[in-house]
């Protein structure tokens, strides 16, 4: 029954707010992971994008304006990771705040000595546990220009990671997945890359992924969708875990 209601709602939303063909083609040109999908998966993604735009509020700030093509493009990037999972995986939050460019959040934290520190670092994106996703539009448009980079997929990976608590590189796994194998594979790869980085060797992923387990998962997810062949070649076990988690086979 639930499925019938859901299907009916999906059909209604898609019928009322279809994505015009030129906008969809534009999104496919800009989003390599979506472009590489087969026709059936692209059609499913198009429905998901329609539902995403119905469900989430995209809020440009600081004078930025997003037209319909921009919104469809952003939603297309955002829906790639949940193509085989469903929009439920993005439950619990509502808005995507979009800055024109890298933004500088004013952060304070109090250390053990009771000293309050304020940090101001330019950021391309940010995701809060129950709150909004924050993105820099300039960085959204840069997806794929630096090979393997996609800030929208990165922040969405953090959102998935936080479905079961704080971001720690351990999202809720699929039923048949082995939790121990996930932890082993990711920590082994992380340690190895950290050693390589210390020894000045080139890394197969953005070194930012070595900041924490959460960043490693997010950066590996970007690479999984943007440059699947490279990830599979250099970190095959990580690739296989992500394949099972996202239920997709991009390579
Ligand atoms: Zn991150």
């Amino acid at each position: 029954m639930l499925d019938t209601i859901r299907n009916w709602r999906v059909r209604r939303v898609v019928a009322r707010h279809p994505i015009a063909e030129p906008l969809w083609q534009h999104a496919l040109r800009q989003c390599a992971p979506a472009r590489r999908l087969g026709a059936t998966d692209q059609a499913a993604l198009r429905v998901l994008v329609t539902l995403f735009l119905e469900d989430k509020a995209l809020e440009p700030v600081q004078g930025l304006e997003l037209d319909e093509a921009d919104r469809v493009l952003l939603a297309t990037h955002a829906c790639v990771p949940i193509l085989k999972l469903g929009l439920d995986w993005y439950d619990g939050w509502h808005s995507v705040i979009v800055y024109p460019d890298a933004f500088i959040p004013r952060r304070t934290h109090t250390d053990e000595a009771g000293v309050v520190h304020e940090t101001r670092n330019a950021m391309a994106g940010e995701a809060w546990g129950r709150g909004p996703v924050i993105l820099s539009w300039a960085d959204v448009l840069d997806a794929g220009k630096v090979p393997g980079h996609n800030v929208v997929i990165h922040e969405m990976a953090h959102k998935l990671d936080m479905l079961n608590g704080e971001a720690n590189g351990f999202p809720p796994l699929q039923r048949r997945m082995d939790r121990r194998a996930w932890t082993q594979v990711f920590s082994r790869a992380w340690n190895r890359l950290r050693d390589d980085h210390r020894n000045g060797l080139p890394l197969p992923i953005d070194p930012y992924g070595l900041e924490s387990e959460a960043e490693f998962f997010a950066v590996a997810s970007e690479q999984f969708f943007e440059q699947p062949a490279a990830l599979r070649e250099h970190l095959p076990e990580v690739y296989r875990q992500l394949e099972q988690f996202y239920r997709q086979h991009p390579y």
Side-chain angles (χ1 to χ4, degrees):
M1 189 60 194
L2 189 67
D3 262 3
T4 316
I5 293 170
R6 186 178 294 165
N7 288 340
W8 174 79
R9 195 183 93 81
V10 166
R11 276 202 303 272
R12 196 185 53 169
V13 169
V14 171
R16 280 195 191 163
H17 308 280
I19 297 171
E21 187 62 22
L23 302 189
W24 181 240
Q25 290 305 325
H26 169 261
L28 292 182
R29 276 196 302 276
Q30 303 294 315
C31 178
R35 192 169 60 239
R36 278 195 296 262
L37 296 169
T40 312
D41 282 340
Q42 278 184 354
L45 184 67
R46 192 170 177 172
V47 171
L48 205 52
V49 168
T50 312
L51 297 173
F52 180 91
L53 288 170
E54 176 85 355
D55 204 53
K56 309 294 181 203
L58 308 190
E59 300 169 10
V61 295
Q62 291 183 350
L64 176 70
E65 285 177 29
L66 296 179
D67 64 18
E68 213 37 43
D70 297 332
R71 288 169 188 272
V72 169
L73 173 60
L74 197 159
T76 301
H77 285 304
C79 289
V80 163
I82 53 160
L83 175 60
K84 300 290 179 181
L85 306 177
L87 195 57
D88 298 358
W89 285 67
Y90 289 162
D91 275 355
W93 55 278
H94 184 61
S95 36
V96 182
I97 297 168
V98 192
Y99 283 81
D101 217 320
F103 52 93
I104 302 178
R106 200 184 285 259
R107 281 296 136 63
T108 55
H109 77 273
T110 310
D111 69 17
E112 282 154 25
V115 180
V116 176
H117 297 272
E118 187 175 90
T119 52
R120 305 196 68 181
N121 298 317
M123 302 184 63
E126 195 172 37
W128 291 73
R130 298 246 119 214
V133 172
I134 308 172
L135 293 166
S136 138
W137 183 244
D139 288 272
V140 174
L141 292 179
D142 273 352
K145 287 189 187 148
V146 178
H149 281 225
N150 188 314
V151 71
V152 186
I153 290 177
H154 181 106
E155 298 309 326
M156 294 300 155
H158 283 320
K159 276 295 191 191
L160 298 174
D161 190 355
M162 287 186 284
L163 281 171
N164 56 357
E166 61 186 282
N168 58 1
F170 199 102
L173 301 183
Q174 310 300 343
R175 208 174 300 152
R176 292 217 186 98
M177 291 182 70
D178 180 347
R179 298 163 59 94
R180 255 209 329 238
W182 176 278
T183 308
Q184 268 172 12
V185 163
F186 275 87
S187 55
R188 213 184 297 148
W190 198 53
N191 289 332
R192 205 194 80 204
L193 294 183
R194 221 175 30 182
D195 288 347
D196 287 354
H197 195 50
R198 273 203 210 105
N199 295 326
L201 297 171
L203 298 189
I205 60 160
D206 185 340
Y208 184 63
L210 297 177
E211 293 269 312
S212 65
E213 285 91 341
E215 295 307 336
F216 188 40
F217 170 63
V219 167
S221 294
E222 288 179 72
Q223 187 84 3
F224 177 73
F225 289 109
E226 283 284 342
Q227 291 220 300
L231 185 68
R232 194 176 158 198
E233 187 190 335
H234 295 288
L235 298 171
E237 288 187 315
V238 169
Y239 179 89
R240 267 194 295 280
Q241 290 295 322
L242 292 176
E243 216 176 18
Q244 289 176 52
F245 173 66
Y246 288 111
R247 294 180 169 156
Q248 293 191 53
H249 312 283
Y251 179 67

